[in-house]
């Protein structure tokens, strides 16, 4: 297997930046030898939380996703804000759901969209859940949160009610964990 | 459940554009009432191909992912180029692997990174496979392609050898299909 990069970098510039992401445009020689550009989206790494109750039900909620302009069923999560993944997951879980967990494990670290983005998502498993407070009022509008069986969630995916690919990545990792730990 | 958008759009401008993606910055009033910006990555919808042979083994290969600057194990796929998903999948599969399929099904349509991107990925199941030609020489450098059992692929995920979240989304959808169709 080739270990090296088949691309050559000529120069690099940041073409856009806001508080959450930057776009870097690299001038490159492509692997086939032509000159071109590669636009890379640089965003902070993120976390996704598989909050599992004693009945092996998973917490999902609807969140309004501005880029798609609609409400999406998802597991809790968000930007990592450069914290450790479990710290970030504790914060996101409590902010978005009012839940706290006794026990935390990391299920996997996965590229989100590796053709365009540098972002990696860490999936954290949260168990030993208790309600500690109200959800925080934030720009991430959430609704209809609750615990659902994995069978019900699978049926919601089959019907197209759940469409979030990142949540399916979490479900794949969670199912592997359950197969080995149940 | 709220059906409306909790965000108000004030104005919108394209801040970056190349052949594969554009970045749109919207000036908005956020759900909590403050003024801010939302940067949205607009890229074409994409396809991922679950190419399954008669032994229920899945085709995966390594592809050099420029944003991460490393080789990633993945299922074939790529930008949809505004074609129908199955047409795009046929093209991507043949270009990247030299394989052709007799039978095509759509397993699901999923948001890739719905906090930042508009992109939706359609997962297509390809069966009845035969080798039709050589892989095309392209900028998408691929290597080490072959058919692997789902157990082996699961073990490669456990060990961190496979890190691509989009491939795990495909695996989740494929496992659901296999449970219903085996």
């Amino acid at each position: 297997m080739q270990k090296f990069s088949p691309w050559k970098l000529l120069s690099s510039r940041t073409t856009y930046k806001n508080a959450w992401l930057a776009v870097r445009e690299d001038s490159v020689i492509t692997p086939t030898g032509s000159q071109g550009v590669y636009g890379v989206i640089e965003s902070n790494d993120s976390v996704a939380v598989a909050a599992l109750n004693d009945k092996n039900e998973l917490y999902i909620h609807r969140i309004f996703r501005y880029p798609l302009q609609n409400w999406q069923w998802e597991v809790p999560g968000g930007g990592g804000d450069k914290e450790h993944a479990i710290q970030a997951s504790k914060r996101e879980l409590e902010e978005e759901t009012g839940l706290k967990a006794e026990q935390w494990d990391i299920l996997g670290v996965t590229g989100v969209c590796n053709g365009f983005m540098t972002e990696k998502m860490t999936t954290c498993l949260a168990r030993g859940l208790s309600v500690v407070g109200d959800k925080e009022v934030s720009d991430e509008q959430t609704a209809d949160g609750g615990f659902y069986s994995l069978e019900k969630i699978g049926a919601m995916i089959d019907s197209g009610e759940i469409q979030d690919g990142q949540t399916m990545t979490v479900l794949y990792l969670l199912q592997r964990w359950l197969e080995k730990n149940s």
Side-chain angles (χ1 to χ4, degrees), chain A:
Chain A
M1 189 198 87
Q2 289 178 290
K3 296 275 184 191
F4 57 89
S5 172
W7 300 72
K8 286 198 188 77
L9 177 65
L10 302 177
S11 66
S12 189
R13 68 192 178 106
T14 298
T15 59
Y16 175 73
K17 195 170 167 46
N18 66 26
W20 303 274
L21 63 87
V23 182
R24 191 186 84 225
E25 186 181 78
D26 288 355
S27 291
V28 292
I29 304 289
T30 73
T32 51
S34 58
Q35 194 168 336
V37 296
Y38 207 118
V40 176
I41 314 297
E42 297 177 331
S43 61
N44 283 348
D45 290 339
S46 59
V47 293
V49 184
L52 202 66
N53 71 12
D54 295 342
K55 296 179 205 158
N56 278 355
E57 294 167 330
L58 185 68
Y59 188 94
I60 56 172
H61 56 191
R62 282 191 208 252
I63 180 161
F64 187 82
R65 287 304 189 177
Y66 186 86
L68 298 175
Q69 287 292 311
N70 60 29
W71 292 83
Q72 293 281 327
W73 283 105
E74 296 178 20
V75 294
D81 293 345
K82 297 181 185 171
E83 297 159 284
H84 184 277
I86 288 178
Q87 276 312 111
S89 294
K90 285 180 179 175
R91 185 179 45 71
E92 291 286 346
L93 184 66
E94 194 167 332
E95 280 176 15
E96 293 190 355
T97 71
L99 291 168
K100 195 172 179 171
E102 291 282 322
Q103 209 176 336
W104 288 90
D105 295 280
I106 290 179
L107 299 185
V109 181
T110 49
V112 173
C113 179
N114 62 20
F116 288 126
M117 303 179 87
T118 57
E119 183 173 332
K120 288 184 189 163
M121 176 177 92
T122 301
T123 298
C124 294
L125 174 63
R127 288 175 296 157
L129 302 170
S130 55
V131 178
V132 287
D134 290 334
K135 294 189 295 176
E136 196 176 85
V137 176
S138 82
D139 286 340
E140 285 190 328
Q141 300 286 294
T142 59
D144 301 325
F147 289 94
Y148 293 78
S149 70
L150 297 184
E151 291 70 26
K152 171 67 179 167
I153 288 171
M156 290 167 80
I157 288 168
D158 295 344
S159 71
E161 208 177 343
I162 297 177
Q163 299 166 345
D164 177 42
Q166 290 170 282
T167 292
M168 294 179 210
T169 298
V170 171
L171 286 165
Y172 180 83
L173 292 171
L174 177 61
Q175 284 188 345
R176 282 201 70 73
W177 185 90
L178 285 168
E179 279 165 27
K180 281 179 279 184
N181 293 277
S182 298

